[in-house]
């Protein structure tokens, strides 16, 4: 209780759009409803592929209230099942926050007008329906005003009542200072705490609220300048971030980062996404199909990584050793050929903005790949490994 | 005084008279009511059958009085023939679940009349001052 | 205490830290601190100038140290000499009768602007450790790396008042975003936001 006394001093601003100045006008907003394009199956697949499944990052050490561990003896079959369950759990943790348009208060909120009830009390009455089993979005919240009219509550009041009677873990009933004061948010972004800010945003605000859109846009724009995309890679926010860049035609920074880190498949997917969103008539499906045939999905890759732990050392072939040393397989080299062609087409086209930078990156990568290929072929020849016919 | 759980720990007798009414909790000069279904002839602080809501008569920071109603259960108990106390009935009338209680209309009318009289008295005094 | 004796005492304290000698650190290192830390108020603290009639009271806590000073202190050589690489509460031990310490620590170490106990708690004994939401280096020492919660007073040895101020400071720092923590995962029910839609293509596993 004494802790609560101290918190009376914190500002309790319940009105919407109380974000101080700078965020509102400068950040990019979605002009149309982004939801149909975002929920499209192909878009979701592209975004999921771009958000790679790095098990180390998804299952990183988190602070938990209960630190007890469990040790089990398992057969190989049970272990295999556990691996599949792990991939399912990882996908759950990578669930993307919805990208929907900003919801406005309904215009026809009035239920009845009753002039005979004017001045029946000196304050409003807010009635919340706490029926068990209802969703928070479907709960009825009505307000009887002092002038006697009964109307449905505004979105702001609804959120407050839902938080009061059915509190969400981690959500505060006041606006956290991090979100209400722009200088504190700026400080967080400068210290590169992007994942923390976005996680807190998903908990504090609903995805259809204006503040959610404004602050996440601010974060993505800052991220674009600082180019620390690796911090968000393999988190649930990477998908909405890539979608944001593709929508607002600023994929070049992310593309450059992907090319530099040799994620060419992801680079192709990002370009394909931007073609899809802006309905540019380039055929990307064929390239994507070829690449999908050659390279495994993130889920399959993670599963292979898990199964690797079970492999006995004498089962390792020379081929695997060479591939582990170089970091690429035969199929990777073939896929890179296709990807680079597609990326160069994009750079040559009219939609790329930072052509020089991207050209340089592609050039560097090509040289690197050539060296790796030569090394790979040399090693294979040296160890007498047969050329694989796949 | 300990609060009883929402599902209530009162003995349930099938044919007794039930009532939906307030139980005054809270502290001195700070009331807080639980809207509750219980045996009609018991004291308000006896174990209840079920809690179906709450009412905070003190206005909050946004100048609102908050009421929570478990409409599904209230409709169930009214369907089973529960009575209602007058304040509870008034509250449900204001909420729109039931028709507005005549007492609420009366209070509103009296408040309006009092406000009009006060305004008239004020204009009188200001006229006297200026004159 | 003469400067010579003070230097000797501090070195003795360093050697015998394992014997859990009570470190009234601010008083022992005041001579060296005067030049390094107290640039804001040189008049009161510098003994060399001899402006004070009486020697400074090591138990006096009326002077309010600004947070910036405290933050600089945590990075300074004086702090390093006193605490080394450990947390400020690691070497502290409560004094009590019998095997088991009382369940709660004392209510407060400071009464009417002065330390009113022997063996004050780790925060009260060093006046340059200021509990403030901006002083994240100090606050992090009291947060468990495994559970993310503020450590109990039974572990750290803080008096109740300091423990409460610590909790408030940590909560304020988390609110401002100066301290990160693991936000509870929010699972979305897509049907609430998208309406009823067909399932997107699941990743093949």
């Amino acid at each position: 209780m004494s802790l609560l006394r101290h918190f009376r001093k914190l500002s309790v601003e319940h009105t919407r759009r109380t974000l101080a100045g700078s965020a509102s006008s400068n950040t990019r907003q979605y002009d149309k409803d982004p939801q149909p394009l975002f929920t499209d199956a192909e878009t979701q697949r592209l975004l999921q592929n771009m958000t790679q499944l790095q098990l180390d990052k998804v299952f990183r050490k988190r602070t938990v209230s209960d630190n007890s561990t469990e040790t089990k003896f398992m057969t190989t079959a049970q272990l295999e099942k556990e691996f599949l369950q792990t991939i399912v759990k990882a996908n759950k943790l990578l669930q993307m926050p919805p990208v929907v348009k900003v919801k406005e208060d309904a215009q026809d909120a009035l239920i009845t007008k009753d002039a005979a009830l004017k001045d029946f009390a000196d304050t409003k009455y807010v009635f919340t329906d706490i029926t068990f089993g209802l969703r928070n979005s479907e709960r009825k919240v009505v307000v009887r005003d002092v002038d006697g009219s009964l109307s449905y509550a505004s979105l702001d009041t609804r959120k407050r009542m839902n938080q009061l009677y059915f509190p969400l873990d981690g959500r505060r009933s006041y606006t956290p200072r991090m979100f209400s004061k722009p200088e504190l948010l700026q400080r967080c972004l400068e210290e590169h705490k992007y994942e923390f800010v976005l996680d807190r945003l998903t908990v504090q605000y609903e995805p259809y609220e204006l503040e959610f859109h404004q602050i996440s846009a601010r974060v993505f724009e800052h991220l674009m300048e600082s180019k620390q995309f690796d911090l968000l890679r393999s988190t649930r926010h990477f998908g909405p971030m890539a979608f944001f860049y593709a929508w607002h035609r600023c994929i070049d920074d992310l593309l450059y980062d992907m090319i530099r880190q040799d994620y060419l498949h992801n680079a192709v997917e990002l370009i394909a996404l931007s073609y899809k969103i802006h309905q540019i008539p380039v055929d990307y499906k064929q390239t994507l199909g070829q690449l999908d045939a050659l390279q495994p999905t993130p889920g399959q890759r993670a599963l292979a990584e898990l199964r690797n732990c079970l492999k006995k050392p004498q089962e390792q072939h020379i081929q695997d050793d060479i591939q582990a040393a170089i970091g690429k397989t035969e199929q990777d080299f073939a896929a890179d050929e296709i990807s680079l062609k597609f990326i160069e087409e994009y750079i040559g086209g009219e939609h790329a903005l930072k052509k020089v930078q991207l050209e340089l990156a592609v050039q560097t990568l090509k040289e690197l790949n050539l060296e790796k290929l030569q090394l790979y072929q040399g090693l294979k020849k040296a160890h007498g490994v047969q050329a694989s016919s796949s | 005084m300990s609060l009883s759980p929402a599902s209530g720990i009162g003995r349930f007798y099938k044919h007794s008279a039930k009532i939906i009414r307030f139980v005054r909790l809270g502290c001195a000069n700070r009331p807080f009511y639980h809207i509750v279904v219980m045996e009609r002839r018991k004291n308000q602080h006896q174990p209840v059958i079920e809690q179906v809501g709450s009412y905070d008569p003190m206005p909050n920071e946004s100048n609102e009085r908050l009421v929570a109603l478990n409409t599904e259960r209230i409709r169930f108990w009214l369907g089973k023939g529960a009575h209602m106390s007058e304040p509870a009935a008034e509250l449900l009338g204001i909420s729109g679940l039931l028709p507005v209680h005549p007492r609420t209309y009366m209070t509103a009318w009296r408040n309006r009349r009092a406000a009009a009289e006060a305004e008239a008295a004020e204009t009188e005094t200001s006229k006297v001052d200026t004159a | 205490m003469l400067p010579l004796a003070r230097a000797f005492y501090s070195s003795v304290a360093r050697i015998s830290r394992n014997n859990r000698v009570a470190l009234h650190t601010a008083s022992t290192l005041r001579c060296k601190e005067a030049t390094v830390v107290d640039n804001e108020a040189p008049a009161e603290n510098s003994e060399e100038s001899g402006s004070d009639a009486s020697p400074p009271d090591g138990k006096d806590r009326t002077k309010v140290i600004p947070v910036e000073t405290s933050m600089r202190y945590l990075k300074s050589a004086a702090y390093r000499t006193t605490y080394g690489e450990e947390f400020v509460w690691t070497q502290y031990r409560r004094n009590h009768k019998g095997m088991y310490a009382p369940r709660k620590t004392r209510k407060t170490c400071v009464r009417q602007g002065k330390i009113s106990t022997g063996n004050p708690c780790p925060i009260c004994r060093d006046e340059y450790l200021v509990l403030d939401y901006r002083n994240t280096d100090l606050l992090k020492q009291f947060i468990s790396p495994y559970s993310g919660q503020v450590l109990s007073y039974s572990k750290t040895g803080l008096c109740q008042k300091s423990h409460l101020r610590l909790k408030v400071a940590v909560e304020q720092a988390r609110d401002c975003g100066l301290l990160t923590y693991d936000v509870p995962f929010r699972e979305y029910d897509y049907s609430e936001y998208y309406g009823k839609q067909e399932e997107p293509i699941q990743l093949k596993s």
Side-chain angles (χ1 to χ4, degrees):
Chain A
M1 280 321 281
S2 46
L3 217 54
L4 284 176
R5 231 190 306 127
H6 289 272
F7 279 114
R8 290 287 148 73
K9 294 181 194 143
L10 282 169
S11 61
V12 187
E13 289 167 2
H14 291 305
T15 54
R16 307 188 85 216
R17 288 145 225 223
T18 50
L19 255 195
S22 61
S24 32
S25 46
N26 303 341
T27 52
R28 300 173 165 105
Q29 300 295 319
Y30 289 109
D31 41 357
K32 285 187 317 188
D33 183 12
Q35 186 248 310
L37 259 178
F38 187 77
T39 39
D40 184 48
E42 198 189 347
T43 319
Q44 283 290 308
R45 197 172 55 86
L46 291 174
L47 292 173
Q48 275 167 1
N49 281 351
M50 277 193 262
T51 321
Q52 301 153 4
L53 226 186
Q54 293 165 2
L55 290 167
D56 287 330
K57 194 153 178 209
V58 175
F59 292 116
R60 66 175 165 81
K61 272 215 188 101
R62 279 173 214 268
T63 54
V64 272
S65 45
D66 174 29
N67 270 300
S68 58
T69 50
E70 202 189 325
T71 329
K72 277 191 206 171
F73 279 117
M74 293 172 121
T75 64
T76 320
Q78 283 174 329
L79 207 57
E80 182 60 38
K81 256 201 226 162
E82 262 316 302
F83 289 160
L84 296 173
Q85 280 305 309
T86 310
I87 304 293
V88 168
K89 215 166 100 172
N91 283 330
K92 271 211 193 117
L93 285 174
L94 290 178
Q95 186 201 41
M96 290 189 250
V99 174
V100 285
K101 68 170 190 269
V102 179
K103 211 197 252 188
E104 299 285 338
D105 280 328
Q107 295 302 318
D108 55 347
L110 190 68
I111 307 173
T112 48
K113 260 195 201 176
D114 201 342
L117 271 182
K118 186 169 178 299
D119 285 339
F120 76 98
D122 50 353
T123 63
K124 288 195 275 194
Y125 275 72
V126 179
F127 296 92
T128 319
D129 181 11
I130 50 171
T131 310
F132 177 79
L134 276 188
R135 278 196 190 155
N136 275 356
S137 50
E138 291 166 359
R139 232 166 260 287
K140 283 203 168 58
V141 181
V142 291
V143 177
R144 176 76 76 171
D145 289 309
V146 179
D147 62 357
S149 56
L150 189 68
S151 54
Y152 289 114
S154 61
L155 284 173
D156 184 45
T157 318
R158 288 188 62 92
K159 186 181 168 192
R160 253 189 317 128
M161 293 300 121
N162 278 327
Q163 178 57 17
L164 186 66
Y165 294 114
F166 303 95
L168 185 65
D169 190 18
R171 184 178 281 193
R172 305 275 193 235
S173 40
Y174 53 89
T175 315
R177 274 187 271 192
M178 192 163 107
F179 296 139
S180 56
K181 292 209 173 105
E183 59 266 12
L184 289 174
L185 183 65
Q186 186 62 30
R187 190 167 161 178
C188 278
L189 297 179
E190 272 155 24
E191 289 170 8
H192 301 316
K193 294 176 182 169
Y194 301 111
E195 203 190 334
F196 169 64
V197 174
L198 288 168
D199 275 338
R200 203 145 178 217
L201 204 63
T202 54
V203 155
Q204 182 65 31
Y205 294 107
E206 295 289 322
Y208 50 72
E209 284 191 54
L210 185 66
E211 285 89 348
F212 185 90
H213 282 249
Q214 283 177 347
I215 300 177
S216 52
R218 180 108 185 268
V219 173
F220 295 148
E221 282 172 8
H222 194 274
L223 193 54
M224 207 159 62
E225 282 153 40
S226 69
K227 314 219 193 314
Q228 304 275 338
F229 300 109
D230 244 354
L231 292 170
L232 281 194
R233 192 163 268 129
S234 206
T235 59
R236 67 194 310 205
H237 306 288
F238 196 89
M241 179 188 81
F243 188 81
F244 179 87
Y245 291 147
W247 185 281
H248 292 104
R249 297 174 201 266
C250 33
I251 59 175
D252 290 336
D253 288 295
L254 186 55
L255 209 58
Y256 177 71
D257 182 74
M258 282 171 170
I259 296 172
R260 259 206 22 228
Q261 298 209 6
D262 198 16
Y263 298 134
L264 292 176
H265 191 172
N266 291 345
V268 168
E269 279 162 349
L270 183 59
I271 301 171
L273 180 67
S274 88
Y275 284 162
K276 182 177 169 156
I277 289 178
H278 299 295
Q279 287 151 350
I280 297 165
V282 174
D283 177 32
Y284 52 82
K285 293 201 207 241
Q286 201 196 12
T287 324
L288 281 178
Q290 287 174 340
L291 287 173
D292 284 334
L294 286 169
Q295 288 194 316
T297 61
Q300 288 168 339
R301 224 186 272 262
L303 203 60
E305 194 186 315
L306 284 171
R307 284 177 184 148
N308 249 347
C309 314
L310 285 184
K311 267 200 188 137
K312 299 192 186 94
Q314 54 263 33
E315 282 177 11
Q316 295 270 19
H317 299 299
I318 302 268
Q319 178 91 339
D320 295 327
D321 277 338
I322 300 175
Q323 282 171 4
I326 305 240
K328 278 179 177 291
T329 59
E330 286 255 14
Q331 291 144 330
D332 281 339
F333 285 118
D336 284 349
E337 288 282 323
I338 306 171
S339 320
L340 281 168
K341 205 164 74 99
F342 190 81
I343 294 169
E344 276 167 350
E345 269 173 29
Y346 166 76
I347 297 173
E350 62 204 358
H351 305 285
L353 295 169
K354 301 193 176 172
K355 295 196 192 220
V356 178
Q357 208 182 35
L358 289 169
E359 269 289 343
L360 277 172
V362 166
Q363 212 47 45
T364 323
L365 195 72
K366 267 191 179 163
E367 286 163 20
L368 217 67
N369 267 2
L370 195 62
E371 282 189 24
K372 279 191 185 170
L373 184 64
Q374 284 172 349
L375 189 61
Y376 181 73
Q377 283 166 349
L379 278 173
K380 266 187 24 188
K381 219 169 164 182
H383 290 274
V385 179
Q386 307 290 357
S388 59
S389 54
S390 57
Chain B
M1 209 226 79
S2 60
L3 302 171
S4 47
S7 55
I9 50 175
R11 295 281 298 275
F12 178 78
Y13 301 99
K14 198 164 151 196
H15 297 290
S16 59
K18 322 266 182 325
I19 189 166
I20 301 176
R21 64 183 182 197
F22 292 170
V23 170
R24 188 196 197 273
L25 305 165
C27 307
N29 296 319
R30 205 286 180 230
F32 186 90
Y33 300 101
H34 276 197
I35 305 171
V36 130
V37 175
M38 63 194 298
E39 300 269 314
R40 200 184 66 209
R41 285 175 302 167
K42 284 211 158 103
N43 182 278
Q44 64 167 318
H45 294 297
Q46 295 280 306
V48 306
I49 298 173
E50 187 181 342
Q51 185 197 349
V52 278
S54 66
Y55 166 47
D56 183 5
M58 308 286 278
N60 69 2
E61 271 143 350
S62 328
N63 207 30
E64 307 159 334
R65 289 192 169 105
L66 301 177
V67 184
L69 300 168
N70 193 340
T71 46
E72 194 222 312
R73 294 306 290 168
I74 292 176
R75 277 167 32 219
F76 170 80
W77 285 111
L78 290 176
K80 289 284 186 178
H83 303 243
M84 290 198 79
S85 69
E86 302 219 1
E90 281 181 53
L91 204 59
L92 287 189
I94 298 168
S95 75
L97 198 66
L98 296 178
V100 180
H101 199 278
R103 262 229 203 137
T104 324
Y105 284 125
M106 283 159 63
T107 337
W109 185 86
R110 285 170 188 167
N111 286 348
R112 285 197 296 269
R113 196 178 60 167
E117 279 175 7
E119 213 184 297
E122 226 184 272
T123 44
E124 284 280 328
T125 47
S126 63
K127 264 193 209 161
V128 167
D129 285 339
T130 48
Chain C
M1 247 207 239
L2 292 171
L4 207 61
R6 185 169 283 127
F8 176 71
Y9 176 80
S10 69
S11 59
V12 164
R14 218 180 309 136
I15 293 164
S16 63
R17 213 186 293 151
N18 284 332
N19 299 343
R20 301 192 193 97
V21 170
L23 302 172
H24 293 266
T25 47
S27 51
T28 51
L29 295 172
R30 195 176 291 280
C31 251
K32 294 170 197 161
E33 271 311 299
T35 45
V36 172
V37 180
D38 272 318
N39 293 328
E40 282 86 5
E44 294 134 50
N45 260 345
S46 53
E47 284 185 35
E48 289 90 43
S49 63
S51 53
D52 271 341
S54 55
D57 186 11
K59 299 200 172 182
D60 180 49
R61 292 290 182 270
T62 48
K63 185 155 157 268
V64 174
I65 308 280
V67 195
E68 295 82 25
T69 316
S70 183
M71 283 156 65
R72 282 199 346 256
Y73 170 63
L74 281 161
K75 299 185 173 60
S76 67
Y79 175 86
R80 183 60 68 86
T81 337
T82 323
Y83 299 105
E85 297 297 334
E86 298 169 330
F87 298 142
V88 301
W89 51 266
T90 325
Q91 289 292 323
Y92 176 79
R93 194 186 173 176
R94 292 167 67 189
N95 294 331
H96 54 85
K97 282 194 255 186
M99 251 168 80
Y100 303 107
R103 195 155 275 199
K104 272 204 165 166
T105 49
R106 62 168 64 93
K107 198 158 161 197
T108 174
C109 307
V110 176
R111 290 193 160 90
Q112 294 176 351
K114 281 202 203 150
I115 301 250
S116 62
T117 63
N119 200 29
C121 71
I123 294 286
C124 299
R125 69 183 175 182
D126 190 343
E127 59 183 354
Y128 291 104
L129 295 177
V130 173
L131 286 172
D132 192 270
Y133 71 95
R134 289 160 283 186
N135 200 351
T136 47
D137 290 328
L138 181 60
L139 297 180
K140 273 189 219 164
Q141 297 187 9
F142 292 93
I143 299 177
S144 164
Y146 310 112
S147 71
Q149 293 161 351
V150 172
L151 292 167
S152 161
Y153 47 76
S154 54
K155 295 262 162 9
T156 56
L158 295 189
C159 61
Q160 294 300 307
K161 187 161 149 202
S162 290
H163 186 67
L164 181 67
R165 284 181 43 237
L166 169 71
K167 281 202 289 192
V168 168
V170 165
E171 192 56 48
Q172 285 178 333
R174 283 182 178 153
D175 195 50
C176 292
L178 297 164
L179 278 178
T180 50
Y181 59 96
D182 283 321
V183 187
F185 184 78
R186 178 170 178 188
E187 205 170 321
Y188 286 101
D189 180 5
Y190 281 148
S191 57
E192 266 193 62
Y193 303 97
Y194 298 151
K196 295 281 178 273
Q197 296 230 324
E198 80 274 14
E199 290 273 303
I201 297 173
Q202 295 293 337
L203 281 182
K204 294 195 287 290
S205 54

